[in-house]
Amino acid sequence: GDAAAATWIFGGGDSRRRRNSVETRAPAGNAFFARTDHCDLAGWKKLLVITSEFHAARTEAIFDWIFGASPKRGYELGYLDTPDDGLAPEEVAARAEREAKSAENVRTKLAPTYSTLKAVREFLMCKHDLYSANGLVVRALRAAADGDDDALLASYGAAKKKAPPRAPIFVAALCFGALAGRLLRR
């Protein structure tokens, strides 16, 4: 983000050639907004995706899915992995296990189900835990109740698990795009 941009510019890079991604919360958002806010609009066909080693398989599955969604634009994607330096072996193992499950989910469930860019957007905004209002709350409650692996949380800089909330929280969230579509079909 900002540090990479500063390094690029102060290192002699041309600020007109550097493009930062929009604020995103997950790799699916990174891929979606890289495509819709940058590549589709600028006409870019080649993209180099840089990520850490433990994250590479899921990132590749996600970017291949979203950049391959219809309408197809003939993108050429390359991938570059960076070392997992700074993480303890148990943290890398915890992340790698989670990433492998997520990559498999992308390939076997998400990509076949959401094969158009419109469907990908609907998924992100209405169903994804880190973009939909309901998903954000459900995710927080699930993490508090079930607790994630301490090594996994530590690898993201999180403190030890907190106790679950005392009272249940109920959230009603509507995805207006999906709701409007259902109402118009009646």
Side-chain angles (χ1 to χ4, degrees), residues 33-94:
F33 294 115
R35 177 173 172 177
T36 60
D37 288 0
H38 295 293
C39 296
D40 282 357
L41 295 176
W44 299 337
K45 298 295 180 194
K46 294 182 180 183
L47 183 70
L48 177 62
V49 181
I50 303 170
T51 191
S52 55
E53 286 176 319
F54 74 84
H55 196 45
R58 179 167 69 123
T59 299
E60 187 168 340
I62 289 169
F63 273 77
D64 286 352
W65 159 42
I66 292 174
F67 275 81
S70 296
K72 299 199 183 289
R73 303 267 197 245
Y75 290 106
E76 295 178 43
L77 303 179
Y79 299 92
L80 179 64
D81 308 341
T82 62
D84 295 328
D85 295 344
L87 294 175
E90 63 273 9
E91 293 171 349
V92 172

